[in-house]
Amino acid sequence: MVKKKRLRLIAEMARKIRAYRELKSRPKESQKYALDYENMRRPLTGKMLPVLAWQDVRRESRLFSLLAGMRLFGVGRMFTRKSWLEEHPEPSYWEITKVKVDYTAENMDHGEAWGILTYKGKQEKEVKAVEKVMYHDWRLIPKDMEQQFKDFQPLPEPPLRYVPYPPLLRAMILAQRGRAGGRMVTEEPALPLQRNVVFNVEYFRRQEEENRRKEGTAV
């Protein structure tokens, strides 16, 4: 007869209480990413921001610094980042669909946001959480430019022409190259998917002679 396992109600309740206290003791987003703009340090950890980021911190804005001053906290508006504008010619932006504000923050400039990401002109289908909302490089796309961002048509991807060799065959090719040349070869071997064959006059002449040989002489 199988002995039933006794439920330890007090121990289970104590575990839940510990988990709840641990959750409540975690620093909030407003505390974790708070910044002292005079010495560029985070008060919670005491860490200093990289020197290369100081200029953007003084000139640019965080996402929730922009959302806090907008109607409906910016739901329905489009936001991009300075780094995207500088690195990619294709439009990259977030279209905000949902915002959860941390009302305990001093200026309500912290929280979580969700939206649809369009990266390098390619729009994703699912709504997901906006990443790196605490970075100081967010910019609001003006209303009169939103349609210009949306109308962009990405170029089709070039067809795949080469694929890598299987691991064993790749090792054999590299070893053969090393023995033949006597030096280290860094070029990666690739297998072409399309083989261009040029047929000359001799090829068709041989084909015609072979067909005649197979057919034989008429009686």
Side-chain angles (χ1 to χ4, degrees):
M1 186 175 181
V2 181
K3 185 178 180 181
K4 291 186 179 180
K5 186 177 179 180
R6 295 180 58 187
L7 294 177
R8 302 178 61 187
L9 300 179
I10 297 178
E12 183 67 18
M13 185 180 298
R15 187 189 63 80
K16 291 182 180 180
I17 292 174
R18 287 194 301 269
Y20 176 76
R21 288 179 177 176
E22 182 181 354
L23 181 62
K24 295 294 289 184
S25 62
R26 290 180 183 175
K28 297 182 178 180
E29 296 288 320
S30 56
Q31 298 173 338
K32 185 187 299 184
Y33 298 111
L35 181 65
D36 186 354
Y37 289 90
E38 294 184 0
N39 53 24
M40 292 296 172
R41 291 182 180 273
R42 299 207 182 273
L44 183 65
T45 60
K47 294 183 178 180
M48 180 182 291
L49 293 184
V51 178
L52 296 177
W54 289 8
Q55 184 176 359
D56 286 343
V57 169
R58 293 191 175 100
R59 294 184 179 182
E60 304 295 333
S61 302
R62 293 181 292 106
L63 177 60
F64 270 85
S65 298
L66 300 173
L67 295 176
M70 299 182 64
R71 180 176 175 270
L72 299 177
F73 289 101
V75 174
R77 296 299 302 271
M78 295 164 51
F79 294 84
T80 185
R81 296 177 57 187
K82 174 190 172 185
S83 57
W84 290 346
L85 296 175
E86 293 177 349
E87 296 173 3
H88 312 305
E90 304 89 354
S92 300
Y93 57 90
W94 281 93
E95 186 173 357
I96 304 299
T97 58
K98 178 183 176 182
V99 175
K100 183 179 179 181
V101 184
D102 183 5
Y103 291 99
T104 62
E106 184 177 356
N107 298 318
M108 293 191 299
D109 56 352
H110 289 274
E112 298 177 89
W114 292 263
I116 300 175
L117 173 64
T118 300
Y119 187 68
K120 292 185 179 181
K122 298 179 181 179
Q123 186 182 58
E124 298 186 2
K125 298 181 180 180
E126 298 181 357
V127 176
K128 63 179 185 179
V130 181
E131 301 174 349
K132 301 179 181 179
V133 296
M134 77 293 298
Y135 280 35
H136 289 76
D137 69 339
W138 288 91
R139 293 183 179 180
L140 172 66
I141 299 177
K143 275 281 189 180
D144 56 347
M145 293 183 63
E146 288 185 353
Q147 195 62 37
Q148 181 180 350
F149 275 71
K150 292 181 179 180
D151 291 342
F152 177 82
Q153 296 293 333
L155 296 176
E157 295 184 358
L160 187 63
R161 298 184 182 275
Y162 298 92
V163 294
Y165 278 95
L168 182 57
L169 188 56
R170 172 183 174 274
M172 294 172 61
I173 294 174
L174 292 177
Q176 186 178 4
R177 288 181 181 179
R179 288 195 302 268
R183 64 179 184 276
M184 192 67 180
V185 181
T186 58
E187 183 181 355
E188 187 70 22
L191 180 65
L193 297 179
Q194 182 179 1
R195 184 178 180 182
N196 297 324
V197 181
V198 179
F199 299 103
N200 52 18
V201 179
E202 292 295 330
Y203 173 80
F204 292 103
R205 186 176 299 169
R206 288 195 302 267
Q207 290 288 331
E208 186 176 356
E209 292 177 357
E210 186 177 352
N211 292 336
R212 288 178 180 176
R213 192 181 306 112
K214 289 180 179 180
E215 293 176 0
T217 306
V219 179

